[in-house]
Amino acid sequence: APGWRISMLSILANPDVAYLLLTVGSVGLIAEMWLPGTVLPGLTGVICLLLAFYGLQMLPVNLTGLALLVLGLVLMVAELFVAGFGVLGAGGIIAFVVGSIMLFQSDAPGFGVAWSLIVVATGVMVAIVGAAVFMVVRHRWRLAAHGTERLLHLPAEVLEWQGGRGW
């Protein structure tokens, strides 16, 4: 009979558990990039990703599916930093879903990710990207709080004008 160590590590070889760890780890890293310095999401993300990689090495992984998952996550992270107005996020979501479906080789019976888990993980990713797009759009329409940008487009009285400059 296998010992407790082998039993615990064999749990990681379950496709659903490996996929869940991969998704939670990715969300943790995305949260750490979005809110730097919070430490807990990044630490949790790294631990979950390492456990997911251990589980994935024991499973018949389709490298194209894994590459699509990584591409989807990279595009979603890029959406947080680049003003793509949702285009990068939408592409990331599509790559994430297709990669989730293709993650394990289809010729291996019994290996695959549960549809319900794919739907929940995709929903979480859509919520993250949607929140990021909402915050970017809201920020674009807000006036600057301080600085010279705050004064743009406000009425003013010109006291003195010389050589293209005024007071």
Side-chain angles (χ1 to χ4, degrees), residues 30-116:
I30 290 171
E32 182 67 33
M33 287 183 206
W34 198 357
L35 305 165
T38 52
V39 181
L40 183 64
L43 181 63
T44 304
V46 168
I47 291 171
C48 286
L49 282 176
L50 290 174
L51 291 174
F53 293 150
Y54 178 82
L56 289 175
Q57 79 169 344
M58 302 172 80
L59 295 167
V61 175
N62 182 340
L63 293 179
T64 304
L66 187 60
L68 280 168
L69 264 175
V70 170
L71 174 67
L73 293 169
V74 166
L75 288 174
M76 286 184 267
V77 168
E79 182 68 46
L80 300 175
F81 297 103
V82 178
F85 299 105
V87 175
L88 292 173
I93 295 294
I94 291 168
F96 184 82
V97 170
V98 173
S100 296
I101 294 168
M102 295 174 53
L103 184 58
F104 297 106
Q105 294 175 3
S106 60
D107 59 347
F111 289 102
V113 180
W115 284 102
S116 58

